[in-house]
Amino acid sequence: MKLLRYGPPGEERPGLLDSNGQLRSLAGVIDDIAGEALLPSALARLRALDPDTLPKVAGDPRIGPCVGQVGKFVCIGLNYADHAAETGATISTEPIVFNKWISAISGPYDALHIPRDSLKTDWEVELGVVVGEGGRNIREQDALQHVAGYCVVNDVSERNWQLERGGTCDKGKGYDSFGPIGPWLVTADEIGDPQALQLWLEVDGKRYQTGSTATMIFTVQEIVSYLSRFMRLLPGDIIATGTPPGVGMGQKPQPVFLRAGQWLRLGVEGLGEQRQLTVQD
């Protein structure tokens, strides 16, 4: 299933994209694509519905973040061997963990706001994991059973605040609009192997990132299991699993960063694509 949320910011309603690309309303079936609606039993009930019986959504509504009421937005850094190489970083023996503030979450086509004090706003296409069944101390061999589905994430990053201003990197990761998710949440049963997906990103039509989840240092199941050792994962939590090479700060002979008036286009195989126009705060 492709689950999504549509409507004005803060007023999103739950929906489903049928096999013909028609948006159908889930209003009256579930309250939101959030929390307990992402548990395996709840997804099974949605899967049993005949989409043709659901009301069609008229017009061209805004598509919002594909998950609502997110509790945690956890990210993994330098998780692609080829991305680590382009930054000159040593490959870590354990996942590098940081957070994006949930206030950074935005829709897949919403404007990307470049902060007024930004010097180095950068892009990062990533595979997002949406937790279904939560838990602690999840065994690695069981970890994929705790995944409700997957989505596209743009882990937008302000490199000056992330890397050059002291303290933790979280400062450069959590600005408003720095966490577009969606356009939809694709349930895990529709994604065969999360370690065999292509990722890509373009700026103004120029391809910068082309990669595959096959080059992840830590797999989805390793990440889910690892995180559950020191935090309780809850339904609707989002995990961004790292980015392939081609980020702005890795460009040669000199880095390239975003400026107002540019278009980003990015996607993950089977999960749809995002488009964002950059605007200056």
Side-chain angles (χ1 to χ4, degrees), residues 54-102:
L54 299 171
K56 293 182 179 180
V57 176
D60 186 23
R62 168 186 174 267
I63 303 300
C66 59
V67 182
Q69 305 172 46
V70 175
K72 294 190 286 295
F73 196 163
V74 187
C75 303
I76 306 299
L78 294 173
N79 193 36
Y80 283 69
D82 36 7
H83 173 51
E86 79 172 341
T87 64
T90 302
I91 291 178
S92 176
T93 57
E94 294 192 33
I96 298 170
V97 180
F98 61 91
N99 295 290
K100 291 180 89 76
W101 322 129
I102 57 173

Side-chain angles (χ1 to χ4, degrees), residues 213-230:
T213 56
T215 67
M216 278 187 184
I217 298 166
F218 303 101
T219 65
V220 169
Q221 64 184 50
E222 289 174 322
I223 291 167
V224 170
S225 175
Y226 182 83
L227 292 177
S228 75
R229 293 170 60 183
F230 48 88

